[in-house]
Structure formats: C-alpha cells, structure tokens
Amino acid sequence: MSGSALANVVLGFLWGGITAYVLLGGADFGAGFWDLLAGSATAGAAQRRRIAESIGPVWEANHVWLIFALVVTWTGFPAVFAAIASTLYVPLTAVAFGVILRGSSFAFRGAVKELSLQRAFGAAFALSSVVTPFFLGAIAGGIASGRVPLGIARGDVITSWLNPTSMLGGLLAVEVAAYLAAVYLTWDCQRHHEAELALIFRRRALIMGVVTGVTAMLGILVLRADAPRLFNGLTHRALLLVVASIVFGGLSLILLFLRRYIAVRATAALAVMAVLWAWGVAQYPDVLAGVITVSAAAAPTQTLLPLVVSLAIGSVILLPALVLLYSFQSEVPERSSQV
C-alpha cells in the first residue's frame, strides 16, 4: 500500500473517532446543557436525576474518542498537530480545563450531602458542559476557515479561534450537543416509565432541532463571507451530504412529533453525522484548509504502516468492549434524586 493510501486510511480512522466523539461525548455535554436549564433544586430534581443516571455509566468512557483523535493526529500527521497545538493553544487549554472541571464536578456532586455544595458542583458541571463544546467548535472553525498555517506558532493566537466561522462552529457545537442529548434522553425516560420527563425532553429536542437547523442555514451566509473555500466545497462536492443532513433532520422532527423515540435516535445521529462528514468532504484533500493536503502532511510510511495495523487491531479489541459497556447503561439501578 502506498504512502498516500495509508495516509487516507489513517484519516478515515481519525474522522471515525471524531464522529464517535461528536455523537457520544457531544450528547454527554448536551446533558449538562439541560442540567443547567432544569430549574430550581426542587423543580429540576427529576430531570437532573435522569441525566445523571443516563450518562453515569459512560460519561468518562466517551472521552476515549477525543484522546484517540489527538494521538492519531500527533502520530499520523505530526506537522498538523504541531500547527494546531501551537496556534490554537488558548481554546485547547480551555477545553482541557472544561473536561477536567466537568468530570470532577459531576463526581463530587453525587458524593456531597450539603445542598449548597451540590448546587455549586452542579453549576460547575453544567457550565463546563456548555463551555467545552463551544471551544471545540471554535477550534473546528479555525481549522475549517484556513486560519491555522503550517509551522510552529505561525498563526494568530486570538483571531485563529475568535472569528465568525469559529463562533458559528462553537454555537453549532453547543446546539448539536443539546439536541442529541434531548433526543437520547427521551427514550431513556420512556424505558424507565417516566412519561412526563420524556415529554419534557421531547419538547426540548423539537425546539433545539429547529434552532440548530436555523443556525446551520444562516451559517451558510457566514461561511460564504468568512470561509469561501469551505462554502464552495459544501455547495458543490459535499452538497449531497448537506441535503442528507436536511432530510434526516426533518425526519427526526417528524419522529419526535410522533413519539418514535428509538427511531429518532438513529435519524438524529445520521443528521449530525452528515453535517460533520460534509465538512470533511468539503475540505478534502486538505487536512488544514488551504494549507496542506493529507498526503503532504502525513508521516513517513515507516510510521503510517504500523499505525494502521495498530488501529485495526485496537478497533477489534476496543469496539466490543465499548458495546458491552454501553449495554450496562440500561441496567443502572434507580438512585435517590440529585440536585
């Protein structure tokens, strides 16, 4: 297999890991968004309990995909990793602190007994769950709009992530995470015979689905002005995926309206996947938009070949283990309400 082919195989693994993180880790972040808006300690207790019980078995396991993406980028595309890390270190640092604060707050909230401490840890968990996906989206926007040049610290450390496309990416990341979480929670409520909670999250999923769709449509205008290369790719090479995202998004709203909570999990995930992969297709073959291609950025064949073999073997081991872990999610015993 040629070096170019190996580079594209590595890219496929990388994009698969990013997709998994968006669909699984993103839903965890979105659950924190709804935790923030659940209401007072009394009124929101049932919602917060369902959120905690739903994400409890898997909330840290989902970060394996983020680590996976970082390691694969570092190993397979070292120059790209160096450019991103040295230019976008401000939002990357914010993401790191957000992940740590979110995890520790979630754990401590379930351990403390004092109401004031539960509220404080709950607020930290919820706010970090919103801030973290925002900065992840801002990082994506900086890369997609071509604001990360090749080399060490050659990009502007502020405007590389504080720009219209990055703000759009951050907003969409928060909205998509909240949408996925609400969709996933509807069925979790239903299977635990919590019909009223299911209706609450159904309504929130419908609202956030519409809001996310409107943001995406208006975002096209932002990309046209701020990231014309990406806009051109989305409206030409990746147009079928853009259309697919609209179709699956519309179908998801219909299924939510009809209360088909299992089916809508699949269509909502497909809608989000279509958007993510539309970005990838629109930017391809560049790994840094307008800067360097996948083949040119790849590590030597001597590195890529063992990396591909390792990823293939690791996938065979990891994926069944994660499926087993997620199967435990439906067997979590009911616990007392948390604030």
Side-chain angles (χ1 to χ4, degrees):
M1 186 179 292
S2 67
S4 177
L6 286 170
N8 281 282
V9 172
V10 172
L11 180 65
F13 275 107
L14 173 60
W15 211 249
I18 292 173
T19 301
Y21 190 62
V22 170
L23 295 180
L24 301 173
D28 279 356
F29 288 126
F33 179 89
W34 297 122
D35 190 292
L36 181 65
L37 300 181
S40 66
T42 302
Q47 296 176 49
R48 292 189 174 98
R49 173 185 53 78
R50 172 51 46 222
I51 289 169
E53 291 180 357
S54 293
I55 70 175
V58 297
W59 61 288
E60 281 296 77
N62 287 332
H63 287 310
V64 71
W65 300 111
L66 179 60
I67 298 169
F68 173 85
L70 291 173
V71 172
V72 171
T73 304
W74 174 28
T75 309
F77 308 99
V80 171
F81 182 89
I84 293 173
S86 60
T87 295
L88 294 169
Y89 67 84
V90 173
L92 283 169
T93 302
V95 168
F97 277 114
V99 169
I100 294 168
L101 180 61
R102 174 183 170 276
S104 58
S105 300
F106 180 75
F108 289 144
R109 184 177 68 170
V112 298
K113 301 300 181 182
E114 295 84 353
L115 181 61
S116 60
L117 290 177
Q118 289 181 339
R119 286 174 171 169
F121 285 128
F125 162 70
L127 288 173
S128 60
S129 294
V130 174
V131 170
T132 306
F134 175 83
F135 280 108
L136 285 169
I139 290 168
I143 296 170
S145 59
R147 289 182 165 90
V148 182
L150 200 62
I152 304 297
R154 292 187 178 178
D156 191 295
V157 297
I158 301 299
T159 60
S160 59
W161 62 272
L162 193 58
N163 58 75
T165 302
S166 288
M167 294 302 99
L168 172 65
L171 182 60
L172 276 174
V174 173
E175 292 174 353
V176 164
Y179 170 63
L180 286 175
V183 168
Y184 294 169
L185 284 166
T186 54
W187 171 239
D188 280 352
C189 293
Q190 186 79 356
R191 65 187 175 85
H192 284 91
H193 310 291
E194 299 167 342
E196 291 186 7
L197 283 181
L199 291 177
I200 290 174
F201 286 114
R202 167 180 172 267
R203 181 171 61 251
R204 292 179 172 181
L206 284 167
I207 293 172
M208 191 54 68
V210 173
V211 170
T212 304
V214 171
T215 301
M217 292 299 102
L218 294 177
I220 294 294
L221 301 177
V222 174
L223 296 181
R224 184 177 183 179
D226 189 62
R229 181 187 292 268
L230 178 61
F231 172 81
N232 183 68
L234 289 172
T235 54
H236 290 82
R237 187 186 307 121
L239 184 58
L240 285 178
L241 285 168
V242 173
V243 172
S245 70
I246 296 172
V247 172
F248 283 122
L251 182 57
S252 297
L253 295 179
I254 294 173
L255 290 172
L256 280 169
F257 183 79
L258 297 175
R259 304 183 188 183
R260 301 293 191 266
Y261 297 144
I262 297 180
V264 74
R265 282 188 163 197
T267 56
L270 287 171
V272 174
M273 283 179 60
V275 172
L276 182 65
W277 281 75
W279 166 32
V281 171
Q283 184 171 307
Y284 187 84
D286 290 350
V287 64
L288 288 178
V291 177
I292 191 170
T293 65
V294 174
S295 299
T301 303
Q302 295 89 332
T303 300
L304 293 179
L305 183 57
L307 176 60
V308 168
V309 173
S310 299
L311 291 174
I313 296 173
S315 298
V316 172
I317 299 172
L318 175 64
L319 294 180
L322 287 175
V323 170
L324 180 62
L325 174 64
Y326 292 133
S327 70
F328 295 152
Q329 197 172 21
S330 61
E331 302 174 6
V332 180
E334 295 294 330
R335 301 178 300 188
S336 60
S337 296
Q338 298 183 31
V339 176

